[in-house]
């Protein structure tokens, strides 16, 4: 179900294409004061960081990884919306079986509320993006970030299709179906702890311009992501936690 490119480039500080990148604590370049910000690195530091494998907390069917704020550069941490000295630790688990479940839990270890954006940036494998459809978002409002000003639009009664670049933030956390006539299967995507869903595919022009993909590789995936961003950012009280979870299943 989960797509990966033909080549994966492993380099410290560089995001890995494909799989399920963990987006935290801001989405894209961040959002602050009602406006798109200019935070770096893009999509936050979590997807570029080395997470610790918790051998004792893992098993054949469960993988557990951790990341602590004490390991992150202070200049990067200062970009948090909720304050310059956030204290937290994050736990990421992957449960494998008839379904694939991924969970990101962030614990606020400080004495002040912790605010952040997050996403499980899931690349789903399809036979051809242009023939695939995402069903379950009919009638839902979304922000179209391909257009200037990110206008709020409505999906109407039709499923989401991919003719050219699609990059949308839907105000829905409903269970969705990614229908794939080429591979003759449907991937079911369900979420917990999410207020939104991002749907993305770069399309031909932008997809072929992505440096770490071969020409045409953009056709092999559609991203459907459990998200909390912009006006739906998470606020975790002191000494509390929040979990974002996404589960994938297949039906033929």
């Amino acid at each position: 179900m989960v797509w990966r490119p033909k080549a994966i480039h492993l380099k410290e500080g560089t995001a890995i294409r494909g799989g399920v990148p963990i987006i935290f604590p801001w989405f894209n370049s961040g959002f602050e004061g009602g406006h798109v910000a200019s935070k770096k690195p893009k999509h936050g530091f979590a997807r570029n960081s080395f997470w610790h494998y918790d051998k004792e907390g893992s098993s054949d069917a469960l993988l557990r990884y951790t990341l602590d704020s004490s390991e992150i550069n202070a200049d990067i941490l200062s970009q948090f919306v909720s304050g310059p000295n956030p204290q937290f630790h994050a736990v990421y688990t992957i449960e494998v079986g008839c379904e694939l479940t991924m969970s990101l839990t962030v614990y606020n270890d400080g004495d002040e509320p912790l605010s952040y954006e997050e996403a499980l940036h899931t690349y789903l494998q399809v036979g051809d993006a242009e023939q695939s459809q995402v069903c379950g978002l009919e009638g839902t409002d979304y922000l179209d970030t391909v257009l200037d000003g990110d206008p709020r639009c409505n999906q109407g009664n039709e499923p989401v299709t991919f003719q050219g670049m699609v990059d949308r933030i839907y105000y829905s956390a409903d269970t969705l179906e990614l229908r794939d006539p080429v591979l003759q299967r449907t991937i079911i995507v369900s979420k917990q702890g999410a207020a939104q869903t991002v749907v993305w595919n770069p399309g031909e022009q932008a997809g072929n311009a992505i440096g770490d993909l071969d020409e045409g590789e953009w056709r092999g995936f559609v991203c459907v992501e459990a998200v909390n961003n912009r006006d739906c950012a998470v606020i975790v009280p002191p000494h509390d936690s929040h979990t974002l979870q996404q589960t994938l299943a297949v039906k033929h």
Side-chain angles (χ1 to χ4, degrees):
M1 289 185 291
V2 179
W3 178 87
R4 54 154 289 175
K6 295 177 182 177
I8 291 178
H9 305 275
L10 297 176
K11 182 180 179 182
E12 185 173 0
T14 300
I16 299 172
R17 180 76 56 184
V20 186
I22 301 170
I23 295 177
F24 170 86
W26 51 83
F27 188 93
N28 206 326
S29 59
F31 195 80
E32 194 165 357
H35 303 282
V36 175
S38 56
K39 302 175 189 288
K40 294 182 179 180
K42 182 181 178 181
H43 285 321
F45 52 77
R47 70 173 188 158
N48 297 346
S49 298
F50 285 107
W51 291 60
H52 299 283
Y53 173 55
D54 179 3
K55 185 176 181 180
E56 298 300 320
S58 301
S59 66
D60 289 345
L62 174 69
L63 299 173
R64 187 177 189 272
Y65 298 88
T66 62
L67 182 69
D68 192 279
S69 56
S70 64
E71 303 169 89
I72 308 302
N73 182 281
D75 289 340
I76 294 178
L77 288 178
S78 69
Q79 299 176 81
F80 264 82
V81 174
S82 51
N85 187 32
Q87 298 177 51
F88 67 87
H89 70 279
V91 177
Y92 184 59
T93 59
I94 304 165
E95 298 177 70
V96 181
C98 295
E99 300 177 333
L100 176 65
T101 298
M102 299 151 288
S103 304
L104 172 65
T105 301
V106 178
Y107 297 85
N108 182 1
D109 300 324
D111 297 323
E112 301 292 334
L114 182 71
S115 179
Y116 58 86
E117 298 175 289
E118 60 178 351
L120 299 176
H121 183 26
T122 309
Y123 287 76
L124 298 174
Q125 182 170 325
V126 295
D128 183 354
E130 290 191 330
Q131 297 186 51
S132 302
Q133 297 181 337
V134 175
C135 301
L137 291 168
E138 292 82 359
T140 301
D141 283 355
Y142 65 89
L143 303 180
D144 192 336
T145 65
V146 173
L147 303 177
D148 290 342
D150 302 349
R152 192 167 184 129
C153 307
N154 186 273
Q155 179 58 34
N157 294 322
E158 67 283 347
V160 183
T161 57
F162 302 90
Q163 306 298 320
M165 180 185 286
V166 172
D167 193 357
R168 301 172 181 173
I169 304 169
Y170 284 87
Y171 285 86
S172 170
D174 290 345
T175 296
L176 307 178
E177 293 188 352
L178 173 58
R179 296 179 182 174
D180 183 350
V182 177
L183 297 182
Q184 298 182 328
R185 69 180 184 184
T186 296
I187 297 177
I188 302 170
V189 183
S190 57
K191 317 169 197 70
Q192 290 185 344
Q196 300 156 305
T197 300
V198 164
V199 178
W200 176 68
N201 178 272
E204 182 174 12
Q205 183 175 353
N208 286 336
I210 296 176
D212 54 358
L213 295 182
D214 283 352
E215 185 171 342
E217 276 199 277
W218 61 272
R219 287 188 178 275
F221 67 82
V222 165
C223 288
V224 180
E225 313 170 29
V227 178
N228 293 301
N229 75 356
R230 297 199 179 195
D231 53 326
C232 294
V234 175
I235 301 176
V236 181
H239 311 293
D240 204 345
S241 66
H242 172 80
T243 298
L244 176 67
Q245 184 177 93
Q246 185 157 286
T247 298
L248 309 177
V250 172
K251 69 177 184 180
H252 293 277

